[in-house]
Amino acid sequence: MLLRYFYDEKLAHASYMVGCQKAGEAVIVDPMRNVEPYIELAKKENMKIVGSLETHIHADFVAGSRELADRFDATMYISDEGDENWKYQNLEGISHKLLKDGDQFKIGNLLFETMHTPGHTPESISFLLTDRGGKADKPMGIFTGDFVFVGDVGRPDLLEKAAGIAGTADVGAKAMYKSIERFKALPDYLQVWPAHGAGSACGKALGAVPSSTVGYEKQFNWAMQYDNEEDFIKDLLDGQPEPPYYFAVMKSVNKIGIKLIKNLPEVKVIESYKQLQTLIAEGNQVIDTRPSDVYAKGFIAGTVNIPFNNSFTNWSGWIVEYKEPLYLLAKPEQMKDILIALRSIGIDYVLGYADVDSVMEQAEKLDSYENVTPLEAEEILEKENAELIDVRNLTEFNEGHIEGAKHIMVGTLKNRLSEVPADKKVILQCQAGARSAIAISLLKAKGFENVVNMTGGYSQWVRDIQ
């Protein structure tokens, strides 16, 4: 048997290639949209990709199952659990197998058994894997998707918070409690292969270890320690992070389908600063992908700064308007990876990009913003008519914040501009300074001029002031 692990750090997303070497056939579990890494490994291992397994309709990334179906006629193994709202659509012409609890299928000598594990979503399923090529008659592991993570379980409130389906959080939490009881009945030795690691917004306490065992999770996963459903539900729903706006889009995309990458519009090169100025003047979205400390010293007015790092995908999903054209300022050698990151969450309406170094050299006028230390921020607050805005997550804010600070989480800022005073200086602050830098670029692009960023954030404030 062949088992290989793939991890997208920008999404904290894990996927797997599982293959029968004797048959030369492999499937991908919870595939990402960029299927090239799977293709490369399949060629190296002399395997044919014959299928993809989805544990549920994902909310945080575009699944690559339809890409694999198009390129290899690979069969989609997908859930048929849940009510009519949780059925995959537009499967005509695509080889697929709808699965319910207890259903089995084989890939060469590998046996997969479906286990319905609702809670994160109604249709969520897990896959028990038995390698019969090695004469085993019991499973060796379970692909849990967003059901059980290392140290955590999937959040049940996304349908309510991200998709707007009222009343589903409590129902999902109750289902999760029952699914966990069923999980606890599995053999301790079973390996656990989840779809996410630390940093994913699909839970609140995910570990950074890529895999675990049923026995270990039963002992140390906080969610496995309850024998009272009411207490479990209360603690499961408490303290969940804000789901990015794009989660609602992903639910629809993965249920209904999305354009194949080969059919996306061509990304054209913007040759001059004047072309870029025209695009900005017309109201188009322009993202500058440089590091925030570089951007702060000089940028083209009207652009928003989302640095291309491991947080790029997440903040793009919060800030970018999906239905509007998007243009990028980036280094040409980074564009391939930037497009992969954007397309992984369905941001496909990218029409052009400019070499950021070239247009910056051509720019006739640059804007900038001021960074201040916590000590300088304290002085401004004491002597000037200023307001402090904390752009961290609500859970962080509730755990501790600067007295008098207003809370507006950075991802929600674009929809709460009316809450930002235009008649006084505004100091933006997060935990360390990275998120507030994104926030200040967004405010500057929306016409707020009297804004400054507090470097070091709340962490530095605690060290310097308190």
Side-chain angles (χ1 to χ4, degrees):
M1 187 187 84
L2 174 77
L3 176 61
R4 291 289 186 272
Y5 173 79
F6 299 82
Y7 196 71
D8 183 337
E9 292 185 347
K10 293 179 177 61
L11 290 169
H13 165 228
S15 57
Y16 306 83
M17 176 182 285
V18 192
C20 174
Q21 291 163 313
K22 183 176 181 180
E25 295 179 339
V27 293
I28 313 300
V29 182
D30 287 329
M32 55 190 169
R33 193 181 191 188
N34 174 31
V35 300
E36 296 303 326
Y38 310 131
I39 295 172
E40 291 176 13
L41 181 61
K43 288 180 180 177
K44 180 181 176 182
E45 298 290 342
N46 295 313
M47 306 289 275
K48 179 183 179 183
I49 299 174
V50 298
S52 61
L53 283 57
E54 290 193 24
T55 54
H56 64 294
I57 301 173
H58 292 278
D60 54 318
F61 68 95
V62 178
S65 296
R66 294 176 192 256
E67 285 286 334
L68 292 171
D70 176 69
R71 300 195 195 192
F72 302 104
D73 196 27
T75 300
M76 290 176 60
Y77 294 88
I78 50 180
S79 177
D80 195 29
E81 295 286 0
D83 61 29
E84 65 278 1
N85 295 313
W86 300 102
K87 305 298 184 184
Y88 290 79
Q89 298 177 12
N90 299 322
L91 296 171
E92 299 83 4
I94 298 176
S95 175
H96 63 279
K97 184 175 178 63
L98 300 176
L99 302 169
K100 290 188 178 293
D101 186 64
D103 285 348
Q104 298 181 348
F105 58 93
K106 292 183 71 176
I107 304 296
N109 290 319
L110 304 179
L111 176 68
F112 293 87
E113 181 177 350
T114 307
M115 179 176 171
H116 185 210
T117 50
H120 178 63
T121 60
E123 84 292 356
S124 174
I125 55 177
S126 299
F127 296 101
L128 290 155
L129 171 63
T130 302
D131 180 12
R132 290 196 166 171
K135 308 300 181 183
D137 60 359
K138 295 179 180 178
M140 67 181 298
I142 180 170
F143 295 99
T144 53
D146 290 17
F147 165 40
V148 173
F149 303 119
V150 178
D152 201 2
V153 294
R155 60 190 297 181
D157 61 330
L158 283 180
L159 304 183
E160 190 159 322
K161 290 183 178 177
I165 306 176
T168 53
D170 283 338
V171 172
K174 289 180 180 180
M176 179 62 77
Y177 184 79
K178 292 181 174 62
S179 293
I180 288 174
E181 290 300 299
R182 192 175 177 193
F183 175 87
K184 289 186 211 182
L186 295 171
D188 284 357
Y189 65 80
L190 278 183
Q191 296 181 61
V192 174
W193 301 303
H196 291 292
S200 169
C202 290
K204 60 182 176 180
L206 284 72
V209 178
S211 65
S212 184
T213 64
V214 169
Y216 190 87
E217 294 308 306
K218 282 160 65 174
Q219 288 193 55
F220 301 109
N221 188 317
W222 72 268
M224 305 282 172
Q225 311 311 313
Y226 293 80
D227 55 14
N228 179 283
E229 183 181 71
E230 186 177 340
D231 291 342
F232 169 80
I233 291 172
K234 178 180 177 297
D235 290 347
L236 179 60
L237 294 176
D238 183 53
Q240 292 288 359
E242 294 92 333
Y245 289 149
Y246 79 88
F247 274 26
V249 178
M250 293 302 93
K251 273 292 178 189
S252 175
V253 157
N254 286 319
K255 175 181 175 180
I256 296 171
I258 194 170
K259 281 186 179 181
L260 297 171
I261 290 175
K262 67 183 183 183
N263 296 329
L264 295 182
E266 178 187 358
V267 181
K268 297 182 179 179
V269 177
I270 301 166
E271 300 286 358
S272 70
Y273 168 69
K274 288 187 176 180
Q275 281 181 272
L276 185 65
Q277 270 192 315
T278 300
L279 290 169
I280 293 172
E282 292 172 348
N284 289 289
Q285 306 177 95
V286 180
I287 302 296
D288 187 324
T289 61
R290 292 177 298 160
S292 58
D293 58 337
V294 177
Y295 179 89
K297 296 173 183 176
F299 59 88
I300 296 170
T303 62
V304 174
N305 181 217
I306 307 179
F308 185 58
N309 53 33
N310 283 346
S311 299
F312 175 78
T313 310
N314 177 61
W315 296 123
S316 294
W318 275 105
I319 293 169
V320 170
E321 294 292 343
Y322 273 64
K323 295 181 180 180
E324 297 179 8
L326 175 64
Y327 298 87
L328 301 165
L329 299 183
K331 293 182 180 297
E333 63 270 20
Q334 292 183 323
M335 275 302 299
K336 179 180 177 181
D337 289 335
I338 289 173
L339 288 175
I340 288 173
L342 292 173
R343 289 168 177 172
S344 73
I345 56 169
I347 298 177
D348 290 349
Y349 204 5
V350 183
L351 296 188
Y353 89 96
D355 180 335
V356 65
D357 293 332
S358 175
V359 294
M360 290 299 292
E361 289 177 1
Q362 297 174 42
E364 300 162 2
K365 181 181 179 182
L366 294 177
D367 201 352
S368 63
Y369 65 79
E370 182 184 3
N371 286 305
V372 297
T373 67
L375 289 171
E376 291 169 331
E378 183 185 41
E379 185 176 356
I380 292 171
L381 291 169
E382 288 176 351
K383 296 182 178 180
E384 299 184 37
N385 181 27
E387 176 144 8
L388 178 66
I389 296 179
D390 186 326
V391 300
R392 297 176 297 162
N393 292 335
L394 181 59
T395 50
E396 295 173 284
F397 182 82
N398 288 339
E399 287 170 1
H401 57 267
I402 300 168
E403 185 178 356
K406 174 186 285 189
H407 178 253
I408 304 179
M409 189 266 188
V410 59
T412 68
L413 182 59
K414 68 176 185 179
N415 294 332
R416 299 175 62 183
L417 295 175
S418 62
E419 299 177 45
V420 181
D423 58 348
K424 61 173 69 173
K425 179 170 284 189
V426 175
I427 303 171
L428 292 160
Q429 157 262 314
C430 61
Q431 189 68 23
R435 285 171 285 178
S436 55
I438 294 173
I440 201 169
S441 76
L442 183 60
L443 288 182
K444 291 281 285 185
K446 296 297 183 181
F448 291 83
E449 293 298 332
N450 198 11
V451 289
V452 298
N453 180 43
M454 191 177 87
T455 58
Y458 181 69
S459 296
Q460 192 65 43
W461 177 280
V462 171
R463 288 191 291 268
D464 293 351
I465 309 298
Q466 292 186 354

